[in-house]
Amino acid sequence: GSSIITLVGFRLSEKPADEDHPYGHARYEYITALVISFLILYIGFETLRNSFDKILHPEETVFSWVTIAILVVSVCVKLWLSGFNKKLGNLINSATLLATSADSRNDVIATFSVLAAALIEKFTGFKVDGYIGLFVAIFILYSGIMLAKETISPLLGENASPELKANIVEVVTANEKVLGYHDLMVHDYGPNQRFASLHVEMDVKEDPMLCHGIIDDLERECFKLHNVNLVIHYDPIVTGDERLESLKAVIKEILNDFDKRLTFHDFRMVDGSDYTNLIFDVALPYGVDQKQVKEYIDNRLYEKGDKKYYTVITFDSTDFNTNE
């Protein structure tokens, strides 16, 4: 049953993009893996129910060397199948094959328990079938729950792996014209179907057409090396302005005093007749109150300056930013 579901899932996930699903159908792999995890849970509950029944009403196991031989062959075949699916699943990053591998592994454990119970009863007379089945049921239920958790997570929209983020950043920062980056967001639409967006900072004095060409090259390089469809937003920044750099240092010090995890980017300064607007984004860790952060910054600036400062702050998630 799980093998048939795997085949159907692969067939559906291979469907090309269409008008209703412009990002393709690769997420069918996650749905297929989730269905297989439900099958594993069903087998676990059935094994649990049958084991309790065997414990309460023990029955004599009919022993046959032919049956033993069939069980041994079954264990060997399923063991090979589990290893094959796991190796291939890791190779092509397939949640469905990894789920099928887990299902085959559970079959090995369940079948081996039947074999062990039959041999123990044959040579000792102890009826342990129900007790062994109970432990097997608990293991199967645990593996089904963990598998369901792993397949539900990407469907909900989990964070990208640190390795993938590092790979994208490595491509972007390899260019000397890129002075910084932030707001890296990665979206997963199934195995090998990933889209990402990123802001890169370049000197405002650089030729915009040159910057645009560099960005195009970085996007193509990221797809070539890591199969990620990257869209880059160009942020021109002012460099060499001593007053702006001094105010940036002040904001960095204030944020560090409030919480060392706080970082900021997209810093701009706009002077008015009797005040200065400081416009920037703050990467906010979970659990930190943005209202308290803004009040703390405003109060510290008021204490420091002889000129009035107004802050215009956008709070971003720290998940999409680095500590640079």
Side-chain angles (χ1 to χ4, degrees), residues 31 43 48 60 68 95 101 109 124-125 143 154 187 208 213 225 231-232 241 245 247 256 258 262 300:
I31 297 173
I43 295 298
L48 188 67
E60 183 178 350
I68 296 298
S101 171
I109 294 170
T124 68
S143 67
H187 307 277
L225 294 178
V231 176
I232 297 177
D241 187 317
E245 293 299 327
L247 284 170
N256 190 61
F258 184 89
L262 294 176
R300 287 285 300 273

Side-chain angles (χ1 to χ4, degrees), residues 38-109:
F38 288 153
L39 281 179
I40 292 174
L41 288 172
Y42 171 76
I43 295 298
F45 280 117
E46 280 297 299
T47 305
L48 188 67
R49 184 178 63 84
N50 289 331
S51 297
F52 272 120
D53 186 59
K54 288 283 183 71
I55 292 172
L56 296 174
H57 309 96
E59 297 176 358
E60 183 178 350
T61 302
V62 178
F63 186 87
S64 166
W65 285 110
V66 174
T67 302
I68 296 298
I70 293 172
L71 291 177
V72 170
V73 172
S74 177
V75 166
C76 293
V77 172
K78 278 289 186 175
L79 193 61
W80 173 85
L81 193 59
S82 177
F84 173 79
N85 284 324
K86 185 176 182 179
K87 182 179 179 180
L88 192 58
N90 287 325
L91 183 66
I92 65 173
N93 190 28
S94 170
T96 301
L97 283 179
L98 292 176
T100 306
S101 171
D103 184 46
S104 297
R105 178 202 61 204
N106 291 342
D107 286 345
V108 169
I109 294 170

Side-chain angles (χ1 to χ4, degrees), residues 17-36:
D18 54 35
E19 291 182 1
D20 294 327
H21 305 93
Y23 299 106
H25 298 78
R27 277 186 176 173
Y28 269 120
E29 278 226 29
Y30 299 144
I31 297 173
T32 302
L34 187 60
V35 172
I36 292 174

Side-chain angles (χ1 to χ4, degrees), residues 3 15 36 46 53 84-86 94 104 110 132 154 158 199 218 225 241 253 255 266 290 292 305:
S3 297
K15 291 174 62 178
I36 292 174
E46 280 297 299
D53 186 59
F84 173 79
N85 284 324
K86 185 176 182 179
S94 170
S104 297
I132 292 179
E158 66 182 356
H199 291 222
L218 292 176
L225 294 178
D241 187 317
E253 177 188 347
L255 289 175
D266 276 352
Q290 65 184 49
Q292 291 180 0

Side-chain angles (χ1 to χ4, degrees), residues 135-200:
F135 286 109
V136 170
I138 293 171
F139 176 81
I140 292 175
L141 287 171
Y142 173 78
S143 67
I145 291 170
M146 296 305 295
L147 182 60
K149 182 181 178 181
E150 290 173 6
T151 51
I152 288 173
S153 186
L155 287 172
L156 291 177
E158 66 182 356
N159 202 351
S161 68
E163 293 79 12
L164 178 59
K165 287 184 177 181
N167 289 337
I168 295 173
V169 168
E170 184 180 6
V171 171
V172 172
T173 55
N175 191 287
E176 61 182 10
K177 297 293 185 182
V178 175
L179 303 180
Y181 64 92
H182 54 269
D183 290 339
L184 172 58
M185 301 182 185
V186 182
H187 307 277
D188 187 340
Y189 288 90
N192 303 315
Q193 196 70 344
R194 292 167 299 196
F195 296 80
S197 61
L198 177 70
H199 291 222
V200 298

